[in-house]
Amino acid sequence: MQTPEEKTITFTLHSQPMKDPKARWKVSVTFAAGSSDASPAEVTAVDGDGSPVACGEFEFAGMKIALQNGKGAFRCADFVAGKHESAVWMYRPGMSPVPGMLTFE
């Protein structure tokens, strides 16, 4: 994998609509300009109130990415390896898992 040298790429994913704002989530996955297989991709996760997800796991591209204080990361090569996996979920302690999807903002 190689991203353009001059362009940062960000995917935005949202939870399915949930009644409780704390159960909702929004995740940004950012690939820095010039990223390669060995580069880290950054994950930022907030709940429906805009507060960082304190602790949990985000399932994306065949991975479960650990989240602490709204942040996580993975290697770009791991994204390429799992790019055909379509499951998108947020898992948080004490809450039911919440599915989501890629969105366009």
Side-chain angles (χ1 to χ4, degrees), residues 10-16 25-27 100-105:
T10 301
F11 294 156
T12 303
L13 302 103
H14 282 268
S15 66
Q16 290 185 348
W25 54 263
K26 175 182 174 183
V27 168
M101 66 208 87
L102 180 65
T103 60
F104 298 93
E105 293 186 333

Side-chain angles (χ1 to χ4, degrees), residues 82-98:
K83 67 185 177 204
H84 296 293
E85 296 293 329
S86 60
V88 177
W89 289 85
M90 178 69 70
Y91 302 91
R92 292 173 275 186
M95 299 178 76
S96 295
V98 178

Side-chain angles (χ1 to χ4, degrees), residues 4-5 7 9 14 17-18 32-33 53 59 61 64 68 70 72 74 76 82 86-87 91 97 102:
E5 289 294 330
K7 189 172 188 176
I9 298 169
H14 282 268
M18 304 294 288
V53 172
E59 184 175 355
K64 283 194 177 174
Q68 289 291 327
F74 59 89
C76 292
S86 60
Y91 302 91
L102 180 65

Side-chain angles (χ1 to χ4, degrees), residues 62-83:
M63 301 174 277
K64 283 194 177 174
I65 302 152
L67 300 171
Q68 289 291 327
N69 301 316
K71 301 287 183 187
F74 59 89
R75 289 181 327 123
C76 292
D78 295 331
F79 169 74
V80 173
K83 67 185 177 204

